[in-house]
Amino acid sequence: MRQAKKEIKNREVIIGLLNTCHVGRLGTVGRDGYPMVKPLNFAYSDGKIYFHSAREGEKIDDLKRDSRVCFEADLPIALVKSTGSPCRAEYLYQSVIIRGRAHIVEDAAERLLGLKKIMEKYQPAGGYGDFPEEKLKLTGVVRIDIEHMTGKEDLGKDQLKDAAMKALKNNVHLPIVLERA
């Protein structure tokens, strides 16, 4: 990382970020050799990322051809409005980038585990019932085994950082808009 001061060194903060972010982006190598990025819902569990997919399609074809993937998730925290110069605008954030290998999960118990982790993340109150067998047959589950994980953040300085940290602590709807004093 070019700016070491932006690295998130605390693994628990990175895991918390993965548990907070609603959308992740999966990077694969497409059939034509170009990078392909797909947004998706996901869950982190025990050092792995799980997501669901159709059992066929471009994403699955890419993973079968080359299991190496990059995965990114970010949390936009605040837009700092510019005053006097566009160069004074800032965007405060936290992000994580993961490199690993993706595996299409065939084991029924692990497939169900991955789907349950996703539901627990997006509907923590429960109430969604059991997964219908006919839907389970149609749904693919992919596990990313994490090989390298890096967190990065820019939370601003002084009063901007105080406001960003307060927003994170109070679970306000993000991103917020801040103005310089």
Side-chain angles (χ1 to χ4, degrees), residues 20-52:
T20 300
C21 291
H22 296 287
V23 177
R25 291 158 195 87
L26 176 71
T28 62
V29 178
R31 179 178 54 239
D32 59 3
Y34 280 90
M36 178 60 66
V37 176
K38 305 260 186 191
L40 44 83
N41 299 119
F42 71 97
Y44 172 86
S45 177
D46 195 29
K48 299 167 183 59
I49 299 287
Y50 287 96
F51 64 89
H52 63 84

PDB file of all heavy atoms in Angstrom, residues 20-52:
ATOM      1  N   THR A  20     -20.470  -5.307   7.709  1.00  0.00           N
ATOM      2  CA  THR A  20     -21.297  -4.115   7.566  1.00  0.00           C
ATOM      3  C   THR A  20     -21.657  -3.818   6.118  1.00  0.00           C
ATOM      4  O   THR A  20     -22.782  -3.404   5.828  1.00  0.00           O
ATOM      5  CB  THR A  20     -20.558  -2.891   8.155  1.00  0.00           C
ATOM      6  OG1 THR A  20     -20.293  -3.139   9.528  1.00  0.00           O
ATOM      7  CG2 THR A  20     -21.374  -1.626   8.015  1.00  0.00           C
ATOM      8  N   CYS A  21     -20.717  -4.006   5.202  1.00  0.00           N
ATOM      9  CA  CYS A  21     -20.932  -3.657   3.797  1.00  0.00           C
ATOM     10  C   CYS A  21     -22.012  -4.533   3.182  1.00  0.00           C
ATOM     11  O   CYS A  21     -22.028  -5.744   3.368  1.00  0.00           O
ATOM     12  CB  CYS A  21     -19.639  -3.807   2.995  1.00  0.00           C
ATOM     13  SG  CYS A  21     -18.389  -2.595   3.425  1.00  0.00           S
ATOM     14  N   HIS A  22     -22.910  -3.903   2.433  1.00  0.00           N
ATOM     15  CA  HIS A  22     -24.025  -4.628   1.817  1.00  0.00           C
ATOM     16  C   HIS A  22     -23.680  -5.197   0.450  1.00  0.00           C
ATOM     17  O   HIS A  22     -24.289  -6.179   0.025  1.00  0.00           O
ATOM     18  CB  HIS A  22     -25.245  -3.710   1.693  1.00  0.00           C
ATOM     19  CG  HIS A  22     -25.776  -3.284   3.016  1.00  0.00           C
ATOM     20  ND1 HIS A  22     -26.460  -4.132   3.855  1.00  0.00           N
ATOM     21  CD2 HIS A  22     -25.703  -2.105   3.666  1.00  0.00           C
ATOM     22  CE1 HIS A  22     -26.793  -3.490   4.960  1.00  0.00           C
ATOM     23  NE2 HIS A  22     -26.342  -2.263   4.870  1.00  0.00           N
ATOM     24  N   VAL A  23     -22.744  -4.573  -0.235  1.00  0.00           N
ATOM     25  CA  VAL A  23     -22.404  -5.011  -1.588  1.00  0.00           C
ATOM     26  C   VAL A  23     -20.902  -5.235  -1.681  1.00  0.00           C
ATOM     27  O   VAL A  23     -20.117  -4.411  -1.227  1.00  0.00           O
ATOM     28  CB  VAL A  23     -22.833  -3.957  -2.642  1.00  0.00           C
ATOM     29  CG1 VAL A  23     -22.407  -4.384  -4.045  1.00  0.00           C
ATOM     30  CG2 VAL A  23     -24.331  -3.707  -2.586  1.00  0.00           C
ATOM     31  N   GLY A  24     -20.539  -6.358  -2.255  1.00  0.00           N
ATOM     32  CA  GLY A  24     -19.143  -6.637  -2.565  1.00  0.00           C
ATOM     33  C   GLY A  24     -18.995  -6.722  -4.071  1.00  0.00           C
ATOM     34  O   GLY A  24     -19.974  -6.894  -4.797  1.00  0.00           O
ATOM     35  N   ARG A  25     -17.779  -6.586  -4.529  1.00  0.00           N
ATOM     36  CA  ARG A  25     -17.511  -6.661  -5.969  1.00  0.00           C
ATOM     37  C   ARG A  25     -16.497  -7.756  -6.223  1.00  0.00           C
ATOM     38  O   ARG A  25     -15.400  -7.728  -5.664  1.00  0.00           O
ATOM     39  CB  ARG A  25     -17.020  -5.312  -6.476  1.00  0.00           C
ATOM     40  CG  ARG A  25     -18.142  -4.275  -6.439  1.00  0.00           C
ATOM     41  CD  ARG A  25     -17.621  -2.842  -6.423  1.00  0.00           C
ATOM     42  NE  ARG A  25     -18.673  -1.933  -6.030  1.00  0.00           N
ATOM     43  CZ  ARG A  25     -18.968  -1.607  -4.778  1.00  0.00           C
ATOM     44  NH1 ARG A  25     -18.274  -2.109  -3.778  1.00  0.00           N
ATOM     45  NH2 ARG A  25     -19.946  -0.763  -4.519  1.00  0.00           N
ATOM     46  N   LEU A  26     -16.901  -8.703  -7.066  1.00  0.00           N
ATOM     47  CA  LEU A  26     -16.071  -9.844  -7.393  1.00  0.00           C
ATOM     48  C   LEU A  26     -15.350  -9.577  -8.692  1.00  0.00           C
ATOM     49  O   LEU A  26     -15.974  -9.283  -9.710  1.00  0.00           O
ATOM     50  CB  LEU A  26     -16.941 -11.099  -7.543  1.00  0.00           C
ATOM     51  CG  LEU A  26     -16.204 -12.364  -7.983  1.00  0.00           C
ATOM     52  CD1 LEU A  26     -15.317 -12.878  -6.844  1.00  0.00           C
ATOM     53  CD2 LEU A  26     -17.204 -13.418  -8.422  1.00  0.00           C
ATOM     54  N   GLY A  27     -14.032  -9.684  -8.677  1.00  0.00           N
ATOM     55  CA  GLY A  27     -13.226  -9.526  -9.883  1.00  0.00           C
ATOM     56  C   GLY A  27     -12.732 -10.878 -10.362  1.00  0.00           C
ATOM     57  O   GLY A  27     -12.132 -11.632  -9.599  1.00  0.00           O
ATOM     58  N   THR A  28     -13.038 -11.186 -11.627  1.00  0.00           N
ATOM     59  CA  THR A  28     -12.587 -12.428 -12.250  1.00  0.00           C
ATOM     60  C   THR A  28     -11.888 -12.081 -13.559  1.00  0.00           C
ATOM     61  O   THR A  28     -11.896 -10.929 -13.988  1.00  0.00           O
ATOM     62  CB  THR A  28     -13.773 -13.372 -12.547  1.00  0.00           C
ATOM     63  OG1 THR A  28     -14.658 -12.734 -13.473  1.00  0.00           O
ATOM     64  CG2 THR A  28     -14.531 -13.743 -11.287  1.00  0.00           C
ATOM     65  N   VAL A  29     -11.313 -13.096 -14.183  1.00  0.00           N
ATOM     66  CA  VAL A  29     -10.739 -12.923 -15.515  1.00  0.00           C
ATOM     67  C   VAL A  29     -11.753 -13.477 -16.508  1.00  0.00           C
ATOM     68  O   VAL A  29     -12.116 -14.653 -16.449  1.00  0.00           O
ATOM     69  CB  VAL A  29      -9.393 -13.655 -15.657  1.00  0.00           C
ATOM     70  CG1 VAL A  29      -8.846 -13.495 -17.067  1.00  0.00           C
ATOM     71  CG2 VAL A  29      -8.402 -13.130 -14.629  1.00  0.00           C
ATOM     72  N   GLY A  30     -12.228 -12.609 -17.398  1.00  0.00           N
ATOM     73  CA  GLY A  30     -13.237 -13.012 -18.367  1.00  0.00           C
ATOM     74  C   GLY A  30     -12.678 -13.911 -19.452  1.00  0.00           C
ATOM     75  O   GLY A  30     -11.464 -14.064 -19.612  1.00  0.00           O
ATOM     76  N   ARG A  31     -13.577 -14.496 -20.216  1.00  0.00           N
ATOM     77  CA  ARG A  31     -13.208 -15.413 -21.295  1.00  0.00           C
ATOM     78  C   ARG A  31     -12.256 -14.752 -22.290  1.00  0.00           C
ATOM     79  O   ARG A  31     -11.360 -15.380 -22.826  1.00  0.00           O
ATOM     80  CB  ARG A  31     -14.485 -15.885 -22.003  1.00  0.00           C
ATOM     81  CG  ARG A  31     -14.238 -16.823 -23.159  1.00  0.00           C
ATOM     82  CD  ARG A  31     -15.538 -17.317 -23.816  1.00  0.00           C
ATOM     83  NE  ARG A  31     -16.377 -16.201 -24.210  1.00  0.00           N
ATOM     84  CZ  ARG A  31     -17.629 -16.000 -23.772  1.00  0.00           C
ATOM     85  NH1 ARG A  31     -18.175 -16.843 -22.940  1.00  0.00           N
ATOM     86  NH2 ARG A  31     -18.326 -14.960 -24.181  1.00  0.00           N
ATOM     87  N   ASP A  32     -12.423 -13.436 -22.491  1.00  0.00           N
ATOM     88  CA  ASP A  32     -11.588 -12.711 -23.452  1.00  0.00           C
ATOM     89  C   ASP A  32     -10.301 -12.179 -22.828  1.00  0.00           C
ATOM     90  O   ASP A  32      -9.532 -11.478 -23.475  1.00  0.00           O
ATOM     91  CB  ASP A  32     -12.378 -11.573 -24.075  1.00  0.00           C
ATOM     92  CG  ASP A  32     -12.901 -10.579 -23.046  1.00  0.00           C
ATOM     93  OD1 ASP A  32     -12.603 -10.731 -21.837  1.00  0.00           O
ATOM     94  OD2 ASP A  32     -13.624  -9.649 -23.440  1.00  0.00           O
ATOM     95  N   GLY A  33     -10.055 -12.528 -21.555  1.00  0.00           N
ATOM     96  CA  GLY A  33      -8.830 -12.102 -20.878  1.00  0.00           C
ATOM     97  C   GLY A  33      -8.940 -10.766 -20.165  1.00  0.00           C
ATOM     98  O   GLY A  33      -8.023 -10.374 -19.445  1.00  0.00           O
ATOM     99  N   TYR A  34     -10.064 -10.075 -20.342  1.00  0.00           N
ATOM    100  CA  TYR A  34     -10.265  -8.800 -19.654  1.00  0.00           C
ATOM    101  C   TYR A  34     -10.807  -9.034 -18.249  1.00  0.00           C
ATOM    102  O   TYR A  34     -11.561  -9.984 -18.017  1.00  0.00           O
ATOM    103  CB  TYR A  34     -11.259  -7.931 -20.422  1.00  0.00           C
ATOM    104  CG  TYR A  34     -10.649  -7.215 -21.601  1.00  0.00           C
ATOM    105  CD1 TYR A  34     -10.637  -7.800 -22.858  1.00  0.00           C
ATOM    106  CD2 TYR A  34     -10.079  -5.959 -21.451  1.00  0.00           C
ATOM    107  CE1 TYR A  34     -10.073  -7.155 -23.947  1.00  0.00           C
ATOM    108  CE2 TYR A  34      -9.508  -5.303 -22.529  1.00  0.00           C
ATOM    109  CZ  TYR A  34      -9.510  -5.907 -23.770  1.00  0.00           C
ATOM    110  OH  TYR A  34      -8.949  -5.261 -24.830  1.00  0.00           O
ATOM    111  N   PRO A  35     -10.473  -8.153 -17.320  1.00  0.00           N
ATOM    112  CA  PRO A  35     -11.064  -8.258 -15.983  1.00  0.00           C
ATOM    113  C   PRO A  35     -12.576  -8.054 -16.062  1.00  0.00           C
ATOM    114  O   PRO A  35     -13.062  -7.280 -16.887  1.00  0.00           O
ATOM    115  CB  PRO A  35     -10.415  -7.115 -15.203  1.00  0.00           C
ATOM    116  CG  PRO A  35      -9.213  -6.728 -15.992  1.00  0.00           C
ATOM    117  CD  PRO A  35      -9.519  -7.051 -17.422  1.00  0.00           C
ATOM    118  N   MET A  36     -13.284  -8.755 -15.200  1.00  0.00           N
ATOM    119  CA  MET A  36     -14.732  -8.635 -15.110  1.00  0.00           C
ATOM    120  C   MET A  36     -15.075  -8.402 -13.650  1.00  0.00           C
ATOM    121  O   MET A  36     -14.595  -9.134 -12.774  1.00  0.00           O
ATOM    122  CB  MET A  36     -15.403  -9.910 -15.628  1.00  0.00           C
ATOM    123  CG  MET A  36     -16.904  -9.905 -15.529  1.00  0.00           C
ATOM    124  SD  MET A  36     -17.715  -8.574 -16.440  1.00  0.00           S
ATOM    125  CE  MET A  36     -17.316  -9.006 -18.115  1.00  0.00           C
ATOM    126  N   VAL A  37     -15.893  -7.394 -13.368  1.00  0.00           N
ATOM    127  CA  VAL A  37     -16.285  -7.092 -11.996  1.00  0.00           C
ATOM    128  C   VAL A  37     -17.808  -7.202 -11.890  1.00  0.00           C
ATOM    129  O   VAL A  37     -18.529  -6.639 -12.712  1.00  0.00           O
ATOM    130  CB  VAL A  37     -15.821  -5.675 -11.581  1.00  0.00           C
ATOM    131  CG1 VAL A  37     -16.314  -5.335 -10.183  1.00  0.00           C
ATOM    132  CG2 VAL A  37     -14.307  -5.577 -11.656  1.00  0.00           C
ATOM    133  N   LYS A  38     -18.259  -7.926 -10.887  1.00  0.00           N
ATOM    134  CA  LYS A  38     -19.690  -8.131 -10.662  1.00  0.00           C
ATOM    135  C   LYS A  38     -20.028  -7.753  -9.224  1.00  0.00           C
ATOM    136  O   LYS A  38     -19.407  -8.253  -8.281  1.00  0.00           O
ATOM    137  CB  LYS A  38     -20.068  -9.593 -10.874  1.00  0.00           C
ATOM    138  CG  LYS A  38     -19.690 -10.157 -12.215  1.00  0.00           C
ATOM    139  CD  LYS A  38     -20.855 -10.177 -13.120  1.00  0.00           C
ATOM    140  CE  LYS A  38     -20.459 -10.889 -14.409  1.00  0.00           C
ATOM    141  NZ  LYS A  38     -21.367 -10.764 -15.434  1.00  0.00           N
ATOM    142  N   PRO A  39     -21.032  -6.898  -9.030  1.00  0.00           N
ATOM    143  CA  PRO A  39     -21.495  -6.614  -7.666  1.00  0.00           C
ATOM    144  C   PRO A  39     -22.346  -7.772  -7.167  1.00  0.00           C
ATOM    145  O   PRO A  39     -23.069  -8.398  -7.952  1.00  0.00           O
ATOM    146  CB  PRO A  39     -22.322  -5.338  -7.836  1.00  0.00           C
ATOM    147  CG  PRO A  39     -22.802  -5.390  -9.243  1.00  0.00           C
ATOM    148  CD  PRO A  39     -21.747  -6.114 -10.034  1.00  0.00           C
ATOM    149  N   LEU A  40     -22.251  -8.051  -5.868  1.00  0.00           N
ATOM    150  CA  LEU A  40     -23.058  -9.139  -5.321  1.00  0.00           C
ATOM    151  C   LEU A  40     -23.232  -9.006  -3.817  1.00  0.00           C
ATOM    152  O   LEU A  40     -22.483  -8.305  -3.151  1.00  0.00           O
ATOM    153  CB  LEU A  40     -22.442 -10.495  -5.681  1.00  0.00           C
ATOM    154  CG  LEU A  40     -20.933 -10.684  -5.546  1.00  0.00           C
ATOM    155  CD1 LEU A  40     -20.518 -11.013  -4.137  1.00  0.00           C
ATOM    156  CD2 LEU A  40     -20.505 -11.782  -6.485  1.00  0.00           C
ATOM    157  N   ASN A  41     -24.253  -9.695  -3.304  1.00  0.00           N
ATOM    158  CA  ASN A  41     -24.448  -9.822  -1.861  1.00  0.00           C
ATOM    159  C   ASN A  41     -23.531 -10.937  -1.377  1.00  0.00           C
ATOM    160  O   ASN A  41     -23.273 -11.890  -2.105  1.00  0.00           O
ATOM    161  CB  ASN A  41     -25.898 -10.166  -1.531  1.00  0.00           C
ATOM    162  CG  ASN A  41     -26.852  -9.091  -2.001  1.00  0.00           C
ATOM    163  OD1 ASN A  41     -27.712  -9.357  -2.819  1.00  0.00           O
ATOM    164  ND2 ASN A  41     -26.705  -7.892  -1.504  1.00  0.00           N
ATOM    165  N   PHE A  42     -23.075 -10.827  -0.143  1.00  0.00           N
ATOM    166  CA  PHE A  42     -22.092 -11.784   0.364  1.00  0.00           C
ATOM    167  C   PHE A  42     -22.148 -11.833   1.876  1.00  0.00           C
ATOM    168  O   PHE A  42     -22.745 -10.976   2.525  1.00  0.00           O
ATOM    169  CB  PHE A  42     -20.683 -11.373  -0.074  1.00  0.00           C
ATOM    170  CG  PHE A  42     -20.187 -10.139   0.645  1.00  0.00           C
ATOM    171  CD1 PHE A  42     -19.374 -10.254   1.757  1.00  0.00           C
ATOM    172  CD2 PHE A  42     -20.568  -8.870   0.233  1.00  0.00           C
ATOM    173  CE1 PHE A  42     -18.933  -9.120   2.438  1.00  0.00           C
ATOM    174  CE2 PHE A  42     -20.137  -7.733   0.899  1.00  0.00           C
ATOM    175  CZ  PHE A  42     -19.316  -7.859   2.011  1.00  0.00           C
ATOM    176  N   ALA A  43     -21.503 -12.839   2.427  1.00  0.00           N
ATOM    177  CA  ALA A  43     -21.318 -12.928   3.874  1.00  0.00           C
ATOM    178  C   ALA A  43     -19.906 -13.429   4.159  1.00  0.00           C
ATOM    179  O   ALA A  43     -19.388 -14.274   3.432  1.00  0.00           O
ATOM    180  CB  ALA A  43     -22.347 -13.866   4.499  1.00  0.00           C
ATOM    181  N   TYR A  44     -19.326 -12.891   5.206  1.00  0.00           N
ATOM    182  CA  TYR A  44     -18.020 -13.341   5.696  1.00  0.00           C
ATOM    183  C   TYR A  44     -18.282 -14.342   6.819  1.00  0.00           C
ATOM    184  O   TYR A  44     -19.115 -14.097   7.701  1.00  0.00           O
ATOM    185  CB  TYR A  44     -17.222 -12.157   6.231  1.00  0.00           C
ATOM    186  CG  TYR A  44     -15.946 -12.575   6.932  1.00  0.00           C
ATOM    187  CD1 TYR A  44     -14.776 -12.781   6.213  1.00  0.00           C
ATOM    188  CD2 TYR A  44     -15.933 -12.786   8.305  1.00  0.00           C
ATOM    189  CE1 TYR A  44     -13.614 -13.181   6.845  1.00  0.00           C
ATOM    190  CE2 TYR A  44     -14.766 -13.188   8.942  1.00  0.00           C
ATOM    191  CZ  TYR A  44     -13.623 -13.385   8.212  1.00  0.00           C
ATOM    192  OH  TYR A  44     -12.470 -13.792   8.838  1.00  0.00           O
ATOM    193  N   SER A  45     -17.571 -15.454   6.804  1.00  0.00           N
ATOM    194  CA  SER A  45     -17.703 -16.427   7.874  1.00  0.00           C
ATOM    195  C   SER A  45     -16.410 -17.221   8.011  1.00  0.00           C
ATOM    196  O   SER A  45     -15.976 -17.874   7.055  1.00  0.00           O
ATOM    197  CB  SER A  45     -18.865 -17.391   7.581  1.00  0.00           C
ATOM    198  OG  SER A  45     -18.962 -18.380   8.589  1.00  0.00           O
ATOM    199  N   ASP A  46     -15.803 -17.135   9.171  1.00  0.00           N
ATOM    200  CA  ASP A  46     -14.660 -17.980   9.520  1.00  0.00           C
ATOM    201  C   ASP A  46     -13.555 -17.954   8.463  1.00  0.00           C
ATOM    202  O   ASP A  46     -13.088 -18.993   7.997  1.00  0.00           O
ATOM    203  CB  ASP A  46     -15.149 -19.411   9.760  1.00  0.00           C
ATOM    204  CG  ASP A  46     -14.112 -20.265  10.484  1.00  0.00           C
ATOM    205  OD1 ASP A  46     -13.318 -19.703  11.265  1.00  0.00           O
ATOM    206  OD2 ASP A  46     -14.079 -21.484  10.233  1.00  0.00           O
ATOM    207  N   GLY A  47     -13.176 -16.743   8.044  1.00  0.00           N
ATOM    208  CA  GLY A  47     -12.070 -16.597   7.106  1.00  0.00           C
ATOM    209  C   GLY A  47     -12.432 -16.854   5.655  1.00  0.00           C
ATOM    210  O   GLY A  47     -11.544 -16.989   4.816  1.00  0.00           O
ATOM    211  N   LYS A  48     -13.720 -16.891   5.357  1.00  0.00           N
ATOM    212  CA  LYS A  48     -14.175 -17.150   3.991  1.00  0.00           C
ATOM    213  C   LYS A  48     -15.274 -16.171   3.611  1.00  0.00           C
ATOM    214  O   LYS A  48     -15.970 -15.650   4.463  1.00  0.00           O
ATOM    215  CB  LYS A  48     -14.713 -18.580   3.872  1.00  0.00           C
ATOM    216  CG  LYS A  48     -13.694 -19.660   4.189  1.00  0.00           C
ATOM    217  CD  LYS A  48     -14.377 -21.004   4.370  1.00  0.00           C
ATOM    218  CE  LYS A  48     -13.411 -22.096   4.754  1.00  0.00           C
ATOM    219  NZ  LYS A  48     -12.678 -21.855   5.981  1.00  0.00           N
ATOM    220  N   ILE A  49     -15.417 -15.946   2.318  1.00  0.00           N
ATOM    221  CA  ILE A  49     -16.523 -15.158   1.780  1.00  0.00           C
ATOM    222  C   ILE A  49     -17.456 -16.127   1.062  1.00  0.00           C
ATOM    223  O   ILE A  49     -17.001 -16.977   0.293  1.00  0.00           O
ATOM    224  CB  ILE A  49     -16.015 -14.101   0.764  1.00  0.00           C
ATOM    225  CG1 ILE A  49     -15.058 -13.113   1.424  1.00  0.00           C
ATOM    226  CG2 ILE A  49     -17.174 -13.400   0.072  1.00  0.00           C
ATOM    227  CD1 ILE A  49     -15.704 -12.112   2.350  1.00  0.00           C
ATOM    228  N   TYR A  50     -18.751 -16.008   1.323  1.00  0.00           N
ATOM    229  CA  TYR A  50     -19.755 -16.801   0.615  1.00  0.00           C
ATOM    230  C   TYR A  50     -20.654 -15.870  -0.180  1.00  0.00           C
ATOM    231  O   TYR A  50     -21.006 -14.785   0.290  1.00  0.00           O
ATOM    232  CB  TYR A  50     -20.633 -17.587   1.594  1.00  0.00           C
ATOM    233  CG  TYR A  50     -19.936 -18.759   2.231  1.00  0.00           C
ATOM    234  CD1 TYR A  50     -19.351 -18.646   3.486  1.00  0.00           C
ATOM    235  CD2 TYR A  50     -19.876 -19.993   1.578  1.00  0.00           C
ATOM    236  CE1 TYR A  50     -18.713 -19.732   4.074  1.00  0.00           C
ATOM    237  CE2 TYR A  50     -19.234 -21.075   2.164  1.00  0.00           C
ATOM    238  CZ  TYR A  50     -18.658 -20.940   3.411  1.00  0.00           C
ATOM    239  OH  TYR A  50     -18.028 -22.011   3.986  1.00  0.00           O
ATOM    240  N   PHE A  51     -21.037 -16.294  -1.379  1.00  0.00           N
ATOM    241  CA  PHE A  51     -22.079 -15.604  -2.135  1.00  0.00           C
ATOM    242  C   PHE A  51     -22.853 -16.630  -2.933  1.00  0.00           C
ATOM    243  O   PHE A  51     -22.411 -17.759  -3.123  1.00  0.00           O
ATOM    244  CB  PHE A  51     -21.496 -14.494  -3.024  1.00  0.00           C
ATOM    245  CG  PHE A  51     -20.577 -14.938  -4.119  1.00  0.00           C
ATOM    246  CD1 PHE A  51     -21.070 -15.265  -5.374  1.00  0.00           C
ATOM    247  CD2 PHE A  51     -19.207 -15.008  -3.912  1.00  0.00           C
ATOM    248  CE1 PHE A  51     -20.218 -15.661  -6.396  1.00  0.00           C
ATOM    249  CE2 PHE A  51     -18.351 -15.396  -4.925  1.00  0.00           C
ATOM    250  CZ  PHE A  51     -18.859 -15.733  -6.176  1.00  0.00           C
ATOM    251  N   HIS A  52     -24.052 -16.226  -3.348  1.00  0.00           N
ATOM    252  CA  HIS A  52     -24.874 -17.138  -4.141  1.00  0.00           C
ATOM    253  C   HIS A  52     -24.945 -16.640  -5.575  1.00  0.00           C
ATOM    254  O   HIS A  52     -24.659 -15.484  -5.869  1.00  0.00           O
ATOM    255  CB  HIS A  52     -26.282 -17.287  -3.546  1.00  0.00           C
ATOM    256  CG  HIS A  52     -27.065 -16.027  -3.534  1.00  0.00           C
ATOM    257  ND1 HIS A  52     -27.781 -15.580  -4.616  1.00  0.00           N
ATOM    258  CD2 HIS A  52     -27.252 -15.120  -2.555  1.00  0.00           C
ATOM    259  CE1 HIS A  52     -28.368 -14.451  -4.313  1.00  0.00           C
ATOM    260  NE2 HIS A  52     -28.059 -14.135  -3.073  1.00  0.00           N
TER     261      HIS A  52
END
